[in-house]
Amino acid sequence: MVAVVRTVAYLGLEARQVEVQCQVASGLPRFAIVGLPDKAVSESRERVQAALSAMGLALPPKRITINLSPADLPKDGSHYDLPIALALLAAMGVTDAEQLGDWIAVGELSLDGRVVASPGVLIAALHASSADAGLICPAEQGSEAKWASGIPVLAPNDLASLLGHLKGTQVLPDPVRGDVEPAPPATDLKQVKGQETAKRAMEIAAAGGHNLLMMGPPGSGKSLLASCLSGILPELSPSEALEVSMVQSVAGMLSSGRISRSRPFRAPHHSASMAALTGGGLKVRPGEVSLAHLGVLFLDELPEFQRAVLDSLRQPLETGQVDVARANAHVSFPARVQLIAAMNPCRCGHAGEPGHVCARGARCATEYQARLSGPLLDRIDLHVEVAAVTAMDLTLPPPAEGSEEVARRVAWARAKAADRGVRSNAELEGQDLETYASPDDDGRALMLQAAEKLRLSARGYTRMLRVARTIADLAGGDQVGRIHIAEALSYRQMIGRR
């Protein structure tokens, strides 16, 4: 007899169906797992045997073969423990094999028979919904699975209680969908003294989803400004929150099934590796740029990152997706992020400040800024200089306008973009860009003149049109005019052109 239990293999945010086939046949006693298992799956043999022993069950002295089909698809992760155990129990006649055909099972087993959490349950639940099946998952992740509406979910604490439910001797409680987390408190723009130009650039970036680079001396407020961004960005829509949660589920970051409507804000240290930033590793996992999907990726001390690591962001910033290619797998993760970066003007941090003379002269700033490649800078829409804050600035009263007022204007601009069929103006392209961001005659003349003088690339030209469209939206204008083009160009002339 061959017993079959369905489970899934994760490839990025995609779940592919896997059949766990178990055969108990006559022959010398052995327990083999085949079908391209990795180390964690191969070790499942010991965990399953110990879990059954904890329930008072012993393996039959026969030849036990577990096949993970399709056999040419690599299998990795501990979530195969539960389906392997169920297939084995069905082949032994302990539970009904036909009854298990209506379910997809994921979960790791501990040595005492408990079913413990494993990453990717939300992905498995969505796959079960599309396959018209129920899901068996760990108890602590039942609330996560319930976000895939319309599917039955069994969330046992241990293997014994699951068998009791399947036999009808006890009933497992139906999991309750997880809560929506309240937005964490964000820094208010009222805490930023001065820096009106930088705050205006931050508002434009938030309203249009544009990338922003701030350059200024240490202590000028660059990190403070970046921390204010969460307070002025609109919250995620329900469908966007589900997208973000799918990435977090694969990364094992969903706690108690709680889903947040606030946009992700990721700030990796400048020592981060390429795999940490863009994804990868021995077992391919999403990187920081994917964990920031539909949110903000803040890179402080930008030139201190390895150049190859920064250049690996060029593709996701352009396409909104990361493709991780390995010899045995090709995995894609979403990565539609808003890049906010900060840097000092030079290594010592004070180049260009009045009264400051750098020992290395102009070379200090030139060599430091040259660490950033031209193609990367070309993908950053807004370049703004953040001047040093004086003691006089700090004695000024708080500004009258804070994050609440700016957030209302940002929400208005985002609503205008939604009317055009995009999440933000940064996504306008092709015919839509021509239709909605085409400037008037005066604006076109200025744009052509600036494109020649600043030697804008085709990418830079279109990005300036998108920024100008956002500025016009904030001003309530229907058409992009010369004044909107002029302001957009004013944020394109600093970094790399000193």
Side-chain angles (χ1 to χ4, degrees):
M1 174 185 174
V2 176
V4 177
V5 174
R6 288 184 290 173
T7 186
V8 294
Y10 302 117
L11 289 179
L13 298 192
E14 178 188 1
R16 294 197 185 173
Q17 184 164 299
V18 172
E19 285 189 353
V20 179
Q21 305 165 353
C22 178
Q23 182 187 59
V24 178
S26 300
L28 292 176
R30 75 164 193 170
F31 189 168
I33 299 178
V34 298
L36 280 186
D38 75 339
K39 185 68 173 175
V41 182
S42 296
E43 292 172 346
S44 175
R45 176 176 54 244
E46 307 300 330
R47 291 191 293 272
V48 169
Q49 188 169 354
L52 296 185
S53 177
M55 295 170 55
L57 296 174
L59 294 181
K62 295 185 177 182
R63 180 176 178 176
I64 300 172
T65 304
I66 300 290
N67 178 43
L68 306 178
S69 175
D72 61 345
L73 179 68
K75 321 295 188 309
D76 64 80
S78 60
H79 66 279
Y80 291 96
D81 289 2
L82 183 58
I84 288 175
L86 290 174
L88 178 56
L89 289 170
M92 293 166 56
V94 177
T95 189
D96 185 7
E98 186 176 348
Q99 184 183 16
L100 291 172
D102 298 329
W103 300 90
I104 288 174
V106 292
E108 180 183 331
L109 289 177
S110 66
L111 299 183
D112 59 1
R114 287 179 296 111
V115 183
V116 297
S118 61
V121 165
L122 180 58
I123 309 294
L126 293 171
H127 174 79
S129 178
S130 65
D132 197 23
L135 182 73
I136 303 175
C137 67
E140 60 188 287
Q141 293 178 297
S143 55
E144 177 182 337
K146 290 297 285 187
W147 283 103
S149 58
I151 67 168
V153 176
L154 293 181
N157 280 302
D158 51 54
L159 195 54
S161 61
L162 174 59
L163 290 178
H165 180 93
L166 293 174
K167 290 182 176 182
T169 59
Q170 71 178 89
V171 177
L172 291 174
D174 190 31
V176 178
R177 180 181 292 180
D179 298 327
V180 176
E181 288 186 346
T187 307
D188 197 294
L189 278 170
K190 287 185 178 180
Q191 298 185 29
V192 182
K193 301 290 184 72
Q195 309 297 11
E196 297 304 320
T197 301
K199 285 193 283 187
R200 171 63 175 172
M202 186 70 68
E203 178 180 342
I204 295 170
H210 305 295
N211 301 325
L212 169 67
L213 173 59
M214 297 177 284
M215 186 174 80
S220 57
K222 303 184 294 296
S223 298
L224 180 63
L225 281 163
S227 67
C228 295
L229 194 58
S230 298
I232 62 177
L233 286 171
E235 67 178 15
L236 296 167
S237 68
S239 61
E240 289 176 333
L242 189 60
E243 279 187 59
V244 171
S245 299
M246 288 169 67
V247 180
Q248 294 174 341
S249 177
V250 169
M253 294 173 55
L254 277 187
S255 175
S256 302
R258 294 170 65 89
I259 286 180
S260 176
R261 293 285 297 275
S262 58
R263 295 186 180 271
F265 186 94
R266 305 291 298 183
H269 190 259
H270 58 73
S271 61
S273 66
M274 188 180 299
L277 201 60
T278 60
L282 184 61
K283 297 179 181 178
V284 180
R285 291 290 183 265
E288 292 291 334
V289 70
S290 294
L291 294 173
H293 178 56
L294 298 180
V296 176
L297 178 66
F298 177 50
L299 301 183
D300 200 6
E301 306 295 347
L302 187 65
E304 298 296 339
F305 284 81
Q306 298 178 42
R307 181 160 184 166
V309 172
L310 288 180
D311 284 342
S312 69
L313 292 176
R314 285 154 57 175
Q315 182 214 14
L317 287 178
E318 195 70 23
T319 64
Q321 180 174 293
V322 171
D323 296 312
V324 182
R326 294 292 182 268
N328 60 352
H330 187 283
V331 178
S332 295
F333 293 109
R336 192 163 294 282
V337 301
Q338 182 177 359
L339 175 64
I340 305 297
M343 61 179 287
N344 296 329
C346 65
R347 177 173 288 278
C348 64
H350 298 280
E353 280 193 51
H356 177 83
V357 179
C358 182
R360 299 185 61 196
R363 288 180 53 198
C364 183
T366 302
E367 292 177 2
Y368 192 69
Q369 295 178 26
R371 296 183 181 184
L372 306 178
S373 69
L376 177 64
L377 289 173
D378 201 33
R379 288 166 168 81
I380 301 179
D381 310 293
L382 305 168
H383 301 171
V384 63
E385 187 165 5
V386 183
V389 178
T390 65
M392 183 64 70
D393 293 328
L394 298 177
T395 61
L396 295 174
E401 187 176 77
S403 294
E404 184 178 351
E405 294 80 8
V406 174
R408 283 198 292 266
R409 293 197 295 269
V410 168
W412 163 259
R414 292 275 183 142
K416 295 283 285 183
D419 292 340
R420 302 177 186 121
V422 292
R423 291 190 179 106
S424 65
N425 288 330
E427 297 183 12
L428 285 174
E429 57 184 16
Q431 187 57 47
D432 287 340
L433 185 65
E434 288 288 333
T435 302
Y436 298 115
S438 182
D440 58 20
D441 292 340
D442 290 342
R444 183 177 292 104
L446 176 61
M447 192 69 183
L448 292 174
Q449 180 183 359
E452 182 178 352
K453 183 177 180 181
L454 298 177
R455 291 176 293 177
L456 292 179
S457 65
R459 180 188 295 112
Y461 182 89
T462 56
R463 285 180 177 270
M464 284 300 94
L465 287 180
R466 293 168 184 158
V467 173
R469 177 66 267 175
T470 300
I471 294 171
D473 286 344
L474 290 171
D478 292 328
Q479 187 174 19
V480 176
R482 182 182 178 89
I483 189 172
H484 309 129
I485 294 289
E487 184 175 1
L489 290 169
S490 70
Y491 300 115
R492 191 73 180 185
Q493 304 181 54
M494 185 191 63
I495 309 299
R497 289 192 168 89
R498 289 182 166 239

